[in-house]
Amino acid sequence: MRGLIILTTLTGLMACVNTDDDRRLDPIAQGTVVLQDEVNQLLVGDRLLDAGQPELALRAYYRAAGEQGLNPETLTAIGAANLRLGRMGQAESQFRQAIDLDETHVPALNNLGVALMERDAFGEARRVFELAFAHDSGQSDAIRENLRLAIARMENIIY
């Protein structure tokens, strides 16, 4: 008796479903539509990177690049994930591509400086941090600290 009631209820609910759009019946297609329309993949990647998941962040950034194209923001984000993964050469290349598209893009300049510092190119890193500092009008404490560190490391090498 109980099974009959459940079966009748489910049959009644199935009759209420609008079958005009096949995507409503397909949970995979449903999820795809939601992801493309409502989720900012750059934001997802940023949160994953902050949570210490650079590999997953990189995937989100690639999805963002697929949606938005390779612009300075997506290239910088992809480079930041590669930097976190220790892929200095790839990160440096992506930051340089972002700067080629927009030479005043402060996050790309700052991250390029960080990548150069990791590769012990302190002189070039200092120059890049100075550019980032100038384009940012000295507003960012992080850029100021990075510039100070690059100058200090250069002086340590000289002496």
Side-chain angles (χ1 to χ4, degrees), residues 104 106 109-110 128-148:
T104 65
V106 175
L109 288 166
N110 184 54
V128 170
F129 285 135
E130 287 171 347
L131 284 171
F133 190 76
H135 289 300
D136 189 48
S137 302
Q139 298 295 317
S140 173
D141 293 334
I143 295 172
R144 185 180 304 116
E145 181 61 26
N146 286 340
L147 177 57
R148 187 198 63 73

Side-chain angles (χ1 to χ4, degrees), residues 44-138:
V44 170
D46 290 344
R47 289 185 178 168
L48 286 166
L49 201 58
D50 290 342
Q53 298 292 326
E55 196 67 51
L56 294 175
L58 186 60
R59 290 181 186 180
Y61 292 145
Y62 282 142
R63 285 191 299 271
E67 294 169 3
Q68 301 174 17
L70 288 174
N71 57 41
E73 290 79 22
T74 56
L75 283 166
T76 301
I78 291 168
N82 279 321
L83 186 66
R84 196 70 71 82
L85 288 165
R87 301 172 183 162
M88 297 304 150
Q90 289 178 351
E92 182 181 339
S93 174
Q94 286 148 351
F95 297 139
R96 288 186 191 278
Q97 287 176 352
I99 294 166
D100 286 344
L101 294 175
D102 179 7
E103 63 187 25
T104 65
H105 190 66
V106 175
L109 288 166
N110 184 54
N111 285 329
L112 175 59
V114 171
L116 291 168
M117 290 280 288
E118 290 294 322
R119 299 181 89 179
D120 296 333
F122 304 123
E124 188 178 2
R126 176 183 176 172
R127 185 186 59 79
V128 170
F129 285 135
E130 287 171 347
L131 284 171
F133 190 76
H135 289 300
D136 189 48
S137 302

